[in-house]
């Protein structure tokens, strides 16, 4: 039988095949899987998808343990904790992490759960089997969780063994200390998940995400501080074929991000084969002299990962390739390590408490714009811009007046909605997020205005706060 441990604080379950001593685990592998539950909803096991056939080798010795079974046909590994029959399955929210030693043997598995799953209640029947969680590891976990952002802790919290070099303690002032610090450009066509990735790292909305392509208009810098590194992300707008002038403006911005970055990350959607756009962007990225990493996002959303990986790999000579799911926070730690290793050594570039160099006003307008786009679906394309016109600290709340600019009367009608219902909905959703981000009450006063064809006029672009210096009209 393997050893089963539960870390309450991290809501993580560890199934270990071997006795672990510090420094054993050399690398980790994340795989999707399901919890196996009995009729009473109690956890009786887990089943993970190994994916590639060659991964079976990693688990050869683990299979000697009772309760470990590999189904060769489906390439799935099942770990059984209890005898009661399986009545239902539930998807693992973050996948399972297999810890491997330096000889590529699986040491064990780590499974993290969401609060909603209430894993503690589902472990009641197993409680007598659980091995006590080692206190020492908990102390280590605490230090790491404090030093890193929350989202990050999701991946690495309470790893029973961890040999990565780390600054001792949680020092907040490292200003003149030499760390790895630099700019990282996330480059890729619209909708591949660049903003989602950035948000997953920073645990807070610094860049807007929406199901529509091309929602990121200005390069947003998200700053991730780690004990040993400072990573400044430049979330470029997607590179695409310009259709109108705002489009070409965005392409320019993305191109401009390249010379300023220390590491270039080409982000693709692995659930789809490479398109012509991907090829063009790859070519542009590969011409640059900086290290280039291929990020294959949305691994959760495809069964064709292997096929598509090969196709993306052939687009160029990538220094390294990392498959991730920004949405499910899989593979993010590995990616971060690959990025950090390629950054120059030097002092931090920004104070450690800074998350973004985007101003609060810009952040607020982006939040409002996101709500407009999410609520109006296809009807309002990218012809909407938001500008904060007034910002005043009043007694009970911050008063913010913002203009939503559209191109046509009909679009204005859609945004306002019958009896103003839509605008109220947009306002309420935006206000909620703005309040959360500013930590204060907000009075949000939204106005909708029509500005004919503003996207074609450089002067109007300036009016909207975009820098038109690089605009080649
Ligand atoms: P960007 O245009 O490259 O910045 O893309 P976004 O971050 O705005 O994401 C575009 C869409 O892809 C959104 O609907 C995201 O929820 C979705 N998305 C992003 N990452 C993932 C992922 O890892 N898996 C899946 N299934 N969807 C994702
Ligand atoms: Mg984006």
């Amino acid at each position: 039988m393997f050893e089963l441990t539960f870390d309450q604080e991290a809501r993580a379950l560890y199934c270990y095949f071997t006795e672990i001593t510090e420094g054993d685990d050399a690398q980790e592998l994340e795989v999707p899987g399901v919890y196996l539950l009995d009729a009473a909803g109690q956890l009786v096991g887990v089943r993970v998808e190994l994916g590639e056939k060659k991964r079976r080798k990693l688990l050869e010795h683990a299979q000697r343990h009772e309760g470990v079974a590999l189904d060769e046909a489906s390439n799935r590994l099942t770990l059984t904790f209890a005898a009661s029959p399986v009545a239902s399955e539930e998807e693992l929210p973050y996948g399972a992490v297999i810890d491997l030693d330096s000889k590529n043997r699986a040491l064990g598995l780590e499974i993290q759960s969401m609060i909603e799953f209430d894993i503690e209640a589902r472990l009641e029947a197993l409680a007598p089997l659980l091995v006590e969680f080692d206190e020492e590891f908990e102390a280590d976990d605490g230090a790491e969780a404090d030093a890193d952002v929350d989202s990050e802790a999701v991946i690495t919290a309470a790893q029973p063994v961890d040999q990565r070099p780390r600054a001792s303690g949680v020092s907040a002032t490292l200003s003149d200390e030499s760390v790895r610090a630099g700019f990282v450009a996330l480059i890729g066509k619209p909708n591949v998940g660049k903003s989602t990735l950035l948000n997953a790292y920073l645990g807070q909305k610094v860049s807007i995400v929406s199901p529509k392509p091309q929602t990121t208009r200005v390069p947003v810098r998200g700053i991730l501080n780690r004990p040993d590194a400072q990573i400044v992300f430049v979330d470029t707008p997607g590179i695409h074929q310009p259709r109108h002038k705002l489009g070409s403006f965005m392409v320019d911005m993305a191109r401009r991000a390249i010379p300023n970055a220390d590491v270039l990350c080409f982000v693709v959607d692995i659930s789809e084969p490479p398109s012509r756009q991907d090829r063009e962007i790859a070519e542009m990225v590969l011409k640059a002299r900086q290290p280039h990493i291929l990020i294959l996002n949305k691994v959760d959303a495809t069964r064709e990962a292997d096929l598509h990986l090969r196709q993306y790999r052939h687009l160029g000579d990538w220094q390294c390739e990392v498959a991730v799911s920004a949405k499910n926070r899989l593979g993010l730690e590995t990616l971060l390590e690959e990025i950090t290793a390629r950054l120059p050594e030097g002092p931090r570039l920004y104070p450690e408490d800074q998350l973004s160099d985007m101003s609060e006003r810009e952040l607020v307008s982006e939040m409002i714009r996101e709500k407009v786009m999410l609520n109006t679906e296809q009807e309002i394309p990218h012809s909407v811009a938001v500008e904060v016109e007034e910002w005043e600290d009043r007694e009970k709340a911050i008063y913010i007046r913002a203009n939503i600019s559209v191109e046509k009367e009909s679009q204005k009608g859609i945004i306002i909605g019958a009896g103003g219902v839509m605008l109220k909905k947009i306002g309420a959703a935006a206000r909620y997020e703005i309040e959360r981000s500013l930590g204060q009450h907000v009075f949000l006063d939204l106005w909708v205005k029509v500005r004919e064809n503003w996207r074609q006029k450089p002067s109007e672009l300036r009016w909207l706060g975009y820098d038109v210096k690089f605009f080649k009209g």
Side-chain angles (χ1 to χ4, degrees), residues 5 25 41 50 53 62 116 120 160 174 182 189 192 220 241 248 287 311 324 345 355 357 361 366 400 411 429 438:
T5 313
D25 74 331
L50 289 184
K53 281 217 172 77
E116 302 87 273
E120 266 191 279
L174 282 165
K189 67 181 180 187
V192 294
V220 176
Q241 305 305 323
S248 59
K287 267 190 210 146
Q311 294 170 337
V324 300
E345 279 184 41
L355 193 69
D357 72 349
R361 275 179 180 235
E366 287 288 272
I400 298 173
Q411 294 170 339
L438 298 178

Side-chain angles (χ1 to χ4, degrees), residues 44-63:
V44 293
V46 292
R47 191 183 65 227
V48 300
E49 309 267 349
L50 289 184
E52 299 160 40
K53 281 217 172 77
K54 63 171 195 233
R55 287 185 180 160
R56 281 183 203 168
K57 268 192 69 183
L58 314 175
L59 286 145
E60 253 166 15
H61 75 287
Q63 289 174 61

Side-chain angles (χ1 to χ4, degrees), residues 243-418:
R243 228 170 289 138
H244 45 65
K245 289 185 177 171
L246 181 62
S248 59
F249 176 74
M250 283 197 239
V251 176
D252 262 13
M253 299 278 264
R255 264 189 228 287
R256 281 172 41 80
I258 292 186
N260 298 325
D262 298 298
V263 173
L264 305 177
C265 295
F266 174 40
V267 190
V268 302
D269 177 351
I270 197 174
S271 69
E272 289 172 7
S275 65
R276 192 168 56 89
Q277 275 184 315
D278 287 308
R279 286 172 213 287
E280 282 169 11
I281 300 165
E283 203 180 312
M284 187 166 117
V285 171
L286 288 158
K287 267 190 210 146
R289 59 184 164 74
Q290 298 98 319
H292 25 257
I293 297 177
L294 172 63
I295 301 177
L296 305 130
N297 188 31
K298 309 199 191 180
V299 274
D300 60 287
T302 178
R303 302 220 163 257
E304 309 267 22
D306 286 349
L307 170 69
H308 296 160
L309 165 64
R310 265 176 273 132
Q311 294 170 337
Y312 281 110
R313 186 180 279 163
H314 284 138
L315 294 184
D317 187 13
W318 306 102
Q319 282 205 351
C320 103
E321 48 198 42
V322 187
V324 300
S325 166
K327 199 166 144 192
N328 298 345
R329 300 181 165 182
L330 297 175
L332 301 189
E333 181 61 22
T334 310
L335 175 59
L336 211 55
E337 278 170 19
E338 294 291 351
I339 292 173
T340 306
R342 289 169 175 80
L343 288 176
E345 279 184 41
R348 285 174 201 270
L349 304 160
Y350 292 89
E352 274 192 84
D353 53 3
Q354 205 169 324
L355 193 69
S356 166
D357 72 349
M358 203 177 186
S359 73
E360 282 183 336
R361 275 179 180 235
E362 284 173 302
L363 211 56
V364 163
S365 10
E366 287 288 272
M367 282 171 183
I368 298 169
R369 209 169 77 83
E370 178 185 51
K371 298 306 174 220
V372 171
M373 300 197 44
L374 285 173
N375 282 290
T376 54
E377 302 278 306
Q378 295 301 318
E379 295 145 292
I380 306 291
H382 297 283
S383 48
V384 61
V386 175
E387 200 191 39
V388 171
E389 293 232 306
E390 222 180 303
W391 183 297
E392 199 183 294
D393 284 316
R394 296 193 179 165
E395 211 172 301
K396 290 201 176 105
I398 303 174
Y399 171 82
I400 298 173
R401 183 159 62 88
N403 270 336
I404 301 173
S405 306
V406 290
E407 279 180 319
K408 296 188 194 119
E409 277 297 332
S410 61
Q411 294 170 339
K412 178 174 169 181
I414 292 167
I415 292 182
I416 293 174

Side-chain angles (χ1 to χ4, degrees), residues 406-447:
V406 290
E407 279 180 319
K408 296 188 194 119
E409 277 297 332
S410 61
Q411 294 170 339
K412 178 174 169 181
I414 292 167
I415 292 182
I416 293 174
V421 169
M422 179 56 90
L423 191 61
K424 274 195 195 129
K425 199 171 153 196
I426 291 167
R431 193 175 60 116
Y432 175 77
E433 199 168 310
I434 296 166
E435 287 186 339
R436 254 190 356 175
S437 150
L438 298 178
Q440 286 183 67
H441 285 299
V442 164
F443 182 88
L444 188 59
D445 192 7
L446 293 182
W447 293 78

Side-chain angles (χ1 to χ4, degrees), residues 33 85-86 99 122 124 180 198 232 242 248 277 317 413 434 472:
V86 176
D99 283 325
R122 294 172 189 275
E124 273 164 17
R180 289 203 179 263
L198 190 71
V232 185
S248 59
Q277 275 184 315
D317 187 13
I434 296 166
K472 298 181 190 102

